[in-house]
Amino acid sequence: MSAEGGTKAIVAALVANLGIAVSKFVAFAFTGSSSMLAESIHSMADSGNQGLLLLGGKRSRRHRTQQHQFGYGRERYFYAFVVAVVLFTVGAVFSLYEGYHKISHPEEIKSAGWAFGVLIAAIIMEIFSFRTAIKESNLVRGDQSWWEFIRRAKAPELPVVLLEDLAALVGLFLALFGVSMAVATGDGVWDGVGTIAIGVLLAVIAAILAFETKSLLIGEGADPDTERQIVEALESVDQVDHLVHIRTQYMGPEELLIAAKIAVNHDDTAVDVARGIDAAEAKIRERFPEAKLIYLEPALSEPSTKGVPAPADSPETTSPETTSPEETSPEAPAPESPASS
């Protein structure tokens, strides 16, 4: 994902949410609706979240230091995780509390016209923000489904904005439902029901964001298809006999670390091996420009581990192919000593 596309979606969401938040607070002042208050806090939390994403993008571009020798690319993951925490604590918890309070002490909706006008205007603005996020995501999503895109994206900004905008749009319809039912029935409990529904929605979205960004923070490797292409590039070099093993990890959304052990020919000179390594790195970067860090360790012929490592949750076993000859050959019997005369 290009940083430019993510920034454009964040700015569009920020502008929309600031305008929506102001209008919702005005409507709450006139109506006293807890749904409007919950949505107002939701929009303020979303505005703060977009600010955090912009801050994370800026801080991630700092140059590496002696203390952080791989740079600050993961700052974007950290701030995306903070967004999930803010969405849950500020948005979901407050909405659930306010909804419970409103159900326990229902109040009549005043000046309902303000609530309906602001909610409809907010829906229009939110659709604009959501449309921008969808448009920018489609530029990099390829043939992935939306769920696959959210699960596999290494840059957190677009998935975060997409889920936030979706939650905001659904939340507006829930608030509209709650206010409409409260006005139609004259029972303020419906306003509290709409508020609780908004809280549950925000809690679910926050949990999804937290789970996905936690995985990125811990460190995700390249997907299997990318690793296969890296192996193909490595083994296409004449000096590389085969791959022994490989490990990959994203140090940031646009910075992939590749560490591999390669078997080289026994008769190659050090110059040949060095040229082969340079050629292999060039081929990898030609396919994957984000492969900024490549470390290749040459070795004499060792059994291949079939390129891509097994999934982390599968037990590692030693196969006959990876067992050294010394471990499999039976120990030779000691020669018998000559009989004494």
Side-chain angles (χ1 to χ4, degrees):
M1 185 201 86
S2 66
E4 181 181 354
T7 301
K8 185 177 180 180
I10 294 170
V11 172
L14 177 60
V15 172
N17 280 317
L18 286 174
I20 292 170
V22 172
S23 62
K24 286 176 181 175
F25 273 118
V26 172
F28 165 70
F30 280 94
T31 63
S33 167
S34 67
S35 294
M36 293 305 305
L37 178 58
E39 276 298 300
S40 302
I41 299 299
H42 177 192
S43 294
M44 286 301 298
D46 281 353
S47 300
N49 289 341
Q50 271 97 57
L52 287 171
L53 292 176
L54 291 173
L55 177 63
K58 181 178 180 180
R59 290 181 62 84
S60 70
R61 292 190 290 272
R62 289 179 296 166
H63 295 295
R64 68 183 183 89
T65 63
Q66 181 62 33
Q67 186 177 11
H68 298 91
Q69 299 189 13
F70 287 102
Y72 292 86
R74 286 189 179 176
E75 290 252 19
R76 290 165 68 179
Y77 300 151
F78 170 75
Y79 281 98
F81 185 80
V82 173
V83 164
V85 174
V86 171
L87 194 63
F88 181 79
T89 55
V90 178
V93 174
F94 178 82
S95 297
L96 291 171
Y97 167 78
E98 187 63 24
Y100 170 78
H101 175 74
K102 189 61 91 173
I103 291 175
S104 302
H105 304 86
E107 298 177 8
E108 184 181 354
I109 299 294
K110 300 174 291 185
S111 303
W114 274 96
F116 290 128
V118 167
L119 285 172
I120 292 172
I123 288 172
I124 294 172
M125 286 188 282
E126 200 62 63
I127 287 175
F128 162 76
S129 174
F130 195 33
R131 178 180 175 274
T132 301
I134 290 174
K135 182 180 178 182
E136 295 299 322
S137 298
N138 279 332
L139 296 177
V140 295
R141 184 167 64 96
D143 58 355
Q144 298 179 92
S145 67
W146 284 108
W147 180 244
E148 288 174 335
F149 174 67
I150 291 171
R151 289 296 311 273
R152 297 179 182 178
K154 303 306 179 186
E157 289 83 2
L158 282 177
V160 169
V161 173
L162 275 169
L163 288 173
E164 274 192 348
D165 284 352
L166 177 62
L169 198 55
V170 175
L172 286 168
F173 281 107
L174 291 173
L176 187 60
F177 169 79
V179 173
S180 299
M181 291 298 295
V183 172
T185 63
D187 188 354
V189 169
W190 283 104
D191 189 26
V193 171
T195 307
I196 286 182
I198 292 169
V200 172
L201 170 69
L202 295 180
V204 171
I205 296 297
I208 294 173
L209 285 177
F211 180 81
E212 293 303 323
T213 51
K214 177 184 77 73
S215 179
L216 292 169
L217 266 176
I218 293 173
E220 285 189 359
D223 59 78
D225 183 61
T226 298
E227 282 202 350
R228 277 192 293 270
Q229 293 185 55
I230 293 172
V231 173
E232 289 174 3
L234 282 170
E235 295 186 337
S236 67
V237 176
D238 293 337
Q239 291 88 344
V240 177
D241 185 70
H242 61 266
L243 177 77
V244 178
H245 64 74
I246 184 172
R247 297 291 183 270
T248 61
Q249 187 171 107
Y250 277 90
M251 308 307 295
E254 293 151 7
E255 187 168 4
L256 177 64
L257 166 67
I258 300 172
K261 190 170 186 178
I262 53 176
V264 298
N265 298 319
H266 184 276
D267 296 330
D268 283 349
T269 65
V271 174
D272 293 332
V273 172
R275 287 174 178 168
I277 289 175
D278 290 341
E281 291 181 356
K283 286 196 172 188
I284 293 172
R285 291 194 175 102
E286 183 179 353
R287 295 191 191 184
F288 304 100
E290 69 270 24
K292 306 287 176 59
L293 302 167
I294 302 176
Y295 300 103
L296 301 180
E297 177 188 358
L300 296 180
S301 182
E302 290 188 29
S304 171
T305 55
K306 304 303 181 185
V308 181
D313 56 355
S314 64
E316 293 185 4
T317 58
T318 303
S319 64
E321 294 179 333
T322 59
T323 306
S324 62
E326 290 81 359
E327 294 173 331
T328 57
S329 59
E331 184 178 353
E336 294 182 2
S337 58
S340 57
S341 56

